[in-house]
Amino acid sequence: MDEKHAFGELHSKSFVIGDIVEWSSWCDYEEKWIQNYGVITEIKNEMRHNRLVSVSKVLPVNSNIEMEHFTMSLRLVSKIKDLEGES
């Protein structure tokens, strides 16, 4: 029997810790979607509602409080290795 992969696990393989990512969130005040940016600090698989899913911890650039996101909701902005090559 094939091994079951966590939902979003294939998408999570395109990320590594230190990558800069973006995600969208709804702003009630402006009544529109806004883009948020942050750095991945952890990628893990967790049981959520009886299903194994990929979850990433992200440190937003405008906050010191880590947030958890479903990995599939994140979009890559810059790879850590691309940033290391520039210095």
Side-chain angles (χ1 to χ4, degrees):
M1 185 173 198
D2 292 336
E3 180 184 328
K4 299 276 185 180
H5 292 283
F7 189 63
E9 185 175 8
L10 291 177
H11 185 68
S12 73
K13 294 196 184 297
S14 63
F15 299 121
V16 294
I17 294 173
D19 284 350
I20 299 173
V21 293
E22 73 173 339
W23 66 96
S24 301
S25 61
W26 182 254
C27 177
D28 287 329
Y29 177 72
E30 296 181 26
E31 294 186 350
K32 66 178 184 177
W33 290 98
I34 58 171
Q35 302 302 323
N36 301 284
Y37 298 91
V39 177
I40 293 180
T41 58
E42 184 180 354
I43 302 169
K44 60 187 174 183
N45 294 330
E46 287 186 353
M47 287 297 288
R48 298 275 175 107
H49 301 282
N50 292 326
R51 186 167 190 175
L52 191 61
V53 296
S54 177
V55 176
S56 296
K57 283 190 177 182
V58 178
L59 183 62
V61 294
N62 60 351
S63 173
N64 290 333
I65 300 171
E66 270 187 330
M67 303 173 71
E68 283 191 345
H69 291 279
F70 175 48
T71 304
M72 289 283 290
S73 69
L74 301 174
R75 295 177 298 277
L76 183 65
V77 173
S78 181
K79 299 287 287 175
I80 185 69
K81 67 179 181 179
D82 295 341
L83 295 175
E84 290 172 345
E86 291 178 6
S87 47

